[in-house]
Amino acid sequence: MRSLPLLLVCLVGCATTKAAETKPAEASAADAKPAAKKPLFERLGGKPAIEAVVDDFLGRVSQDATINSGFAVAHVPRVRQRLIELVCVGSGGPCTYSGRDMTTAHAGQGITNAQFDTLVGHLVATLDKFKVPAAEKNELLSVLGPMRPAIVEEP
Ligand code: HEM
């Protein structure tokens, strides 16, 4: 578990270093076009890294009284699994999301924009702890951001 943050940083950072090292010094104009970007899932470090992110994130959520009341302890293993699937699928990974859609899963909870923002804040803190680079962090947040209207029930 302790090595996962390193794995996360290394898989993003080391891949970049390797690409730079293998680039020929005298590249032709045709070679100059940027290589196709790997899916976000791979750049994040794959399933182990996503699991580590979700675990750290859920740890923060469970400590936060402004949002943890709904995340009943009994639900955590199921929600954990579904969050992993959701992030995996959302980042282009080879997973299947087996949960309910976001509207159905959050219906009737009266979740506010402030609670949504708090939750995103915890996710950002987790990603910062694992030193996920800004590009990958923003990409992941832009996968989750559009879910706000389905989750928040404020008028
Ligand atoms: C980006 C924001 C969010 C994402 C991606 C997200 C994702 C999910 C997922 C994947 C599930 C499991 C769905 C299922 O059971 O099939 C879930 C359930 C749940 N979420 Fe969220 N959620 C978000 C925001 C929130 C917020 C802000 C709250 C409350 C403050 C919240 C409270 C809950 C609760 C209580 C459940 C369990 C519902 C149940 O088991 O009946 N979620 N969420």
Side-chain angles (χ1 to χ4, degrees), residues 40-56:
L40 177 59
F41 173 79
E42 279 179 47
R43 282 178 282 132
L44 286 172
K47 199 83 178 285
I50 290 174
E51 286 169 354
V53 163
V54 168
D55 285 339
D56 184 88

Side-chain angles (χ1 to χ4, degrees), residues 139-154:
E139 243 179 277
L140 183 57
L141 293 175
S142 66
V143 170
L144 301 178
M147 297 175 185
R148 181 189 291 264
I151 292 170
V152 168
E153 290 185 317
E154 260 181 329

Side-chain angles (χ1 to χ4, degrees), residues 1-15 42-45 48-49 52-53 126-133:
M1 184 65 174
R2 213 186 234 167
S3 62
L4 280 173
L6 274 180
L7 173 75
L8 201 74
V9 175
C10 193
L11 284 178
V12 176
C14 300
E42 279 179 47
R43 282 178 282 132
L44 286 172
V53 163
T126 292
L127 297 173
D128 285 344
K129 174 183 159 183
F130 288 165
K131 300 197 180 350
V132 172

Side-chain angles (χ1 to χ4, degrees), residues 69-129:
S69 60
F71 282 103
V73 176
H75 288 314
V76 164
R78 186 174 51 84
V79 172
R80 172 188 183 271
Q81 201 47 47
R82 289 179 174 175
L83 267 177
I84 291 168
E85 291 168 2
L86 192 74
V87 173
C88 178
V89 172
S91 61
C95 302
T96 305
Y97 176 65
S98 65
R100 296 169 291 170
D101 64 80
M102 290 297 99
T103 305
T104 308
H106 299 93
Q109 295 190 44
I111 295 172
T112 63
N113 276 302
Q115 286 178 312
F116 188 93
D117 292 340
T118 301
L119 188 137
V120 170
H122 288 310
L123 180 60
V124 168
T126 292
L127 297 173
D128 285 344
K129 174 183 159 183

